[in-house]
Amino acid sequence: MDVIQVSGLSKSYGALQAVKNVSFNVAEGSVFGLLGPNGAGKTTTMECMIGLKNRSAGNITVLGLDPEKHRHQLFSDVGVQLQETVYQSAAKVFELCQLFTSMYEEPLDYKSLLERFDLGSKAKSSIGSLSGGQRQKLAIVLALIANPRILFLDELTTGLDPGARREIWIYIEQLQREGRTVIMTTHYMEEASLLCDEICLINRGEIVAQGTVDEVIAQAQIDLVITFETDSEVTPLLQNLPHIRHMEQHDSFVTIYTCSEETLTNLILKLSAAAISYRKIKITYPELEEAFLKLVNPATKGAVS
Amino acid sequence: MFRTLTIFEFKLHLRNFFTLFFALGFPVMMLLLFGAMYGNEPSSLTGDKGTVDLMLPAYTCMIVAVTGLMSLPLAIANYREQKILKRFMATPIQPLQILVSQVVVNSVTTAAGIAFLLIVAQLVYRVQFFGNVLTTLMAFLLVVISIFSLGLVIAGVTPNARAATSLAFIIYFPMLFLSGASIPLYIMPKGMVVVSNFLPLTYGVRLLSGVWLGGHLLDYGLELAVLVGITLLCVGLSTRFFKWE
């Protein structure tokens, strides 16, 4: 079941069209990633879904409701972490938690949430004394106090060190296992590959690719790279294999760019038939990051360049 | 929810040294400074009132100026810049409740500052009160409402916290020194008195001093009209131009 439907969403700020005709659905219990370079329209799209911004055109349904008209009904089912929020540095963690607890009719117990996010010992600390990672974990705790079915996380891990980011990833996986739907924006392709069931890649306000991570990578049509070492001159022998786009040999090092995995089988058969010995054979598949770069800026040729 | 929010805001307020100093400490310092210079001996020139008796109502306006023109707008401007207002908009809380809780917190601080000032004035100088309590409270309420609404305009129209701070300082300091709130206008050169006529707080000081010292509300028609006018104008401006983000 889809908990969110966005169709034909557009948002303009005066003459600037920040989001153009964006459509996607988010399945219940999935982790959905909105990806794109800075200024692509990710945050605007997300804020239209929460009802913090009024759309210029299109339709949005969140849990069957229009966020623009039924913002207040949605609040207890939707937890939000906003990219730019800086909580009051003089406030103490437990005070902020109590404030959010007072806003909801059936809040989750903030003390156990703090324990779960490893902030139990920080309850009496001021927000100003928390590390970046701790602040982001607190942002999740505050979003979770409502016990929401859907969580919106806007660049939750930006600026965190690798250790803190990995810690957050584990928490996001846990949230999904609890049955919550997560909509996240991120700049980190590694993070999106690991966490997201489905992604939507936006550039200049428009969708350039969407689907599972593998589907988006496939859409970018980036060559696979096969490398191996051999003592023979193999270029003439292999040149006519199907699917190969380009091949190079420097001394014993051979690099083949191909658009099909079959090349690997064909290559090994051909080398064996010719009794040519080879070693260190390796196939490299394109990562989401290369697909991202190619789809966002088609002038970049991904792995080939 | 509103109660928790207001208590929360109040705790944060108490952790802000700047506000506490200017709302509680500074007026008492001024009182003691001028009291030490002039004393509070009744003088025939002033109708058997001491200098401190005369200055005390003005000092209460000094407190309203700091809570209404500095503390209130800066807190709101910061909340907007730090996207706290926006974050609260994604909760069941009404953003207006945040503004109201700020007004409540600053009103309580104003009352506390005045109470402290009056206690010190009473203990040290045995001040006298010549007015009618109800009339004085009404005049005081009008001063608070007009100055706070001016503060809401500062909070509402400035693009960021830095601009709000600059604007608040530009408005607050002239009013502090040129409205008669801290330094009596009669010792000022003529030019300054002319300037003071353009400062809203001047009318607050005149009205409050007048009724405090035994005058009737209706003797201060101009002051009442200016303060009510400022309130209407500022409420209109902030309703029209207030930016939540």
Side-chain angles (χ1 to χ4, degrees):
Chain A
M1 194 192 97
D2 290 336
V3 283
I4 296 176
Q5 286 114 2
V6 176
S7 66
L9 171 69
S10 295
K11 172 69 184 171
S12 307
Y13 300 104
L16 176 78
Q17 231 194 327
V19 176
K20 298 171 207 164
N21 196 24
V22 163
S23 304
F24 55 81
N25 290 347
V26 180
E28 178 155 33
S30 67
V31 176
F32 185 91
L34 281 167
L35 313 186
N38 282 329
K42 307 183 294 286
T43 300
T44 302
T45 303
M46 189 177 262
E47 288 180 356
C48 287
M49 291 157 79
I50 313 165
L52 286 180
K53 287 211 167 85
N54 291 340
R55 56 191 184 263
S56 309
N59 279 308
I60 301 178
T61 317
V62 178
L63 297 169
L65 296 169
D66 180 339
E68 222 166 273
K69 294 183 192 132
H70 306 282
R71 205 151 62 95
H72 286 263
Q73 276 162 268
L74 277 174
F75 286 146
S76 43
D77 282 326
V78 169
V80 176
Q81 168 262 327
L82 299 174
Q83 191 190 142
E84 301 154 302
T85 305
V86 183
Y87 288 107
Q88 300 91 323
S89 61
K92 296 193 162 69
V93 170
F94 81 92
E95 291 168 345
L96 209 47
C97 290
Q98 282 175 349
L99 175 61
F100 275 78
T101 300
S102 77
M103 296 178 191
Y104 300 99
E105 280 172 16
E106 291 171 47
L108 291 179
D109 174 36
Y110 76 83
K111 284 180 191 137
S112 39
L113 283 173
L114 288 178
E115 287 299 336
R116 176 177 155 193
F117 284 82
D118 204 22
L119 290 170
S121 61
K122 293 284 172 188
K124 291 200 168 89
S125 306
S126 66
I127 308 292
S129 72
L130 299 182
S131 71
Q134 288 166 339
R135 279 175 211 215
Q136 296 306 70
K137 286 194 285 181
L138 177 62
I140 307 181
V141 168
L142 295 176
L144 277 175
I145 285 176
N147 195 11
R149 287 171 64 190
I150 307 179
L151 271 161
F152 289 88
L153 306 174
D154 194 4
E155 289 191 24
L156 184 61
T157 60
T158 298
L160 298 186
D161 68 57
R165 267 168 57 200
R166 278 173 174 71
E167 199 186 346
I168 299 269
W169 295 349
I170 294 169
Y171 288 121
I172 293 178
E173 283 170 344
Q174 281 179 12
L175 295 174
Q176 185 181 21
R177 275 202 295 278
E178 288 172 15
R180 299 184 208 275
T181 309
V182 177
I183 291 96
M184 56 186 286
T185 69
T186 181
H187 277 134
Y188 300 106
M189 297 303 128
E190 184 193 5
E191 180 170 300
S193 303
L194 193 76
L195 297 175
C196 296
D197 300 303
E198 203 154 330
I199 56 176
C200 176
L201 179 53
I202 302 180
N203 190 29
R204 296 168 202 260
E206 290 176 290
I207 294 184
V208 276
Q210 71 187 107
T212 62
V213 172
D214 287 339
E215 283 164 5
V216 169
I217 293 174
Q219 284 174 54
Q221 298 188 319
I222 296 170
D223 295 338
L224 306 170
V225 183
I226 299 169
T227 55
F228 60 95
E229 292 176 30
T230 177
D231 296 326
S232 316
E233 175 67 33
V234 294
T235 318
L237 178 72
L238 301 176
Q239 225 156 25
N240 296 325
L241 283 178
H243 308 304
I244 290 187
R245 291 183 193 275
H246 179 69
M247 184 171 11
E248 290 167 10
Q249 181 167 16
H250 301 288
D251 304 327
S252 59
F253 300 100
V254 182
T255 310
I256 298 171
Y257 298 95
T258 172
C259 55
S260 170
E261 267 178 289
E262 283 173 34
T263 305
L264 184 65
T265 319
N266 294 336
L267 169 76
I268 291 172
L269 289 173
K270 198 92 176 177
L271 291 175
S272 307
I276 293 172
S277 66
Y278 55 89
R279 56 191 181 273
K280 294 190 183 170
I281 195 160
K282 188 178 143 196
I283 182 162
T284 309
Y285 295 90
E287 298 277 344
L288 184 58
E289 185 146 336
E290 295 155 57
F292 175 90
L293 290 170
K294 188 172 172 195
L295 289 165
V296 161
N297 181 5
T300 314
K301 289 282 184 286
V304 181
S305 58
Chain B
M1 174 159 61
F2 182 72
R3 197 173 141 261
T4 314
L5 175 67
T6 307
I7 293 170
F8 174 80
E9 295 295 351
F10 200 71
K11 284 185 190 167
L12 293 188
H13 203 70
L14 290 177
R15 291 173 197 155
N16 186 336
F17 172 78
F18 182 90
T19 309
L20 286 192
F21 174 75
F22 278 95
L24 286 127
F26 188 65
V28 169
M29 281 168 54
M30 294 297 283
L31 172 82
L32 296 174
L33 181 70
F34 278 88
M37 283 158 67
Y38 298 108
N40 197 28
E41 291 308 310
S43 154
S44 55
L45 284 175
T46 52
D48 291 332
K49 298 173 178 97
T51 309
V52 174
D53 292 335
L54 290 176
M55 282 307 292
L56 200 54
Y59 290 155
T60 63
C61 291
M62 186 161 41
I63 298 173
V64 181
V66 74
T67 51
L69 298 176
M70 298 290 285
S71 168
L72 176 70
L74 296 192
I76 294 170
N78 270 319
Y79 276 16
R80 183 175 47 224
E81 178 157 312
Q82 298 176 319
K83 304 289 177 191
I84 290 172
L85 289 182
K86 192 172 171 185
R87 176 67 185 87
F88 282 149
M89 283 167 84
T91 69
I93 218 163
Q94 298 280 355
L96 197 60
Q97 292 184 310
I98 299 161
L99 299 196
V100 175
S101 78
Q102 285 293 340
V103 169
V104 169
V105 164
N106 280 293
S107 303
V108 172
T109 310
T110 308
I114 288 169
F116 183 50
L117 179 74
L118 294 183
I119 290 168
V120 174
Q122 178 58 28
L123 289 179
V124 180
Y125 298 107
R126 300 278 160 213
V127 284
Q128 306 173 70
F129 176 67
F130 304 92
N132 173 301
V133 175
L134 194 65
T135 313
T136 309
L137 276 179
M138 279 165 62
F140 187 71
L141 202 62
L142 180 59
V143 174
V144 170
I145 291 171
S146 60
I147 296 302
F148 276 33
S149 63
L150 186 57
L152 283 180
V153 173
I154 298 176
V157 301
T158 44
N160 52 45
R162 185 188 290 259
T165 310
S166 310
L167 188 60
F169 270 92
I170 289 169
I171 293 178
Y172 168 69
F173 276 107
M175 286 221 221
L176 176 62
F177 293 114
L178 300 179
S179 68
S182 58
I183 303 164
L185 281 176
Y186 58 78
I187 66 167
M188 292 272 188
K190 251 207 171 98
M192 295 296 179
V193 178
V194 174
V195 172
S196 77
N197 286 330
F198 293 96
L199 301 174
L201 192 60
T202 307
Y203 298 89
V205 174
R206 279 199 217 149
L207 172 69
L208 196 63
S209 300
V211 296
W212 187 289
L213 300 171
H216 291 284
L217 264 186
L218 295 178
D219 299 341
Y220 296 90
L222 172 69
E223 285 75 11
L224 286 173
V226 169
L227 293 175
V228 170
I230 287 168
T231 307
L232 294 177
L233 179 71
C234 290
V235 168
L237 283 176
S238 42
T239 316
R240 173 76 183 72
F241 294 108
F242 194 88
K243 293 184 295 249
W244 294 103
E245 258 198 73

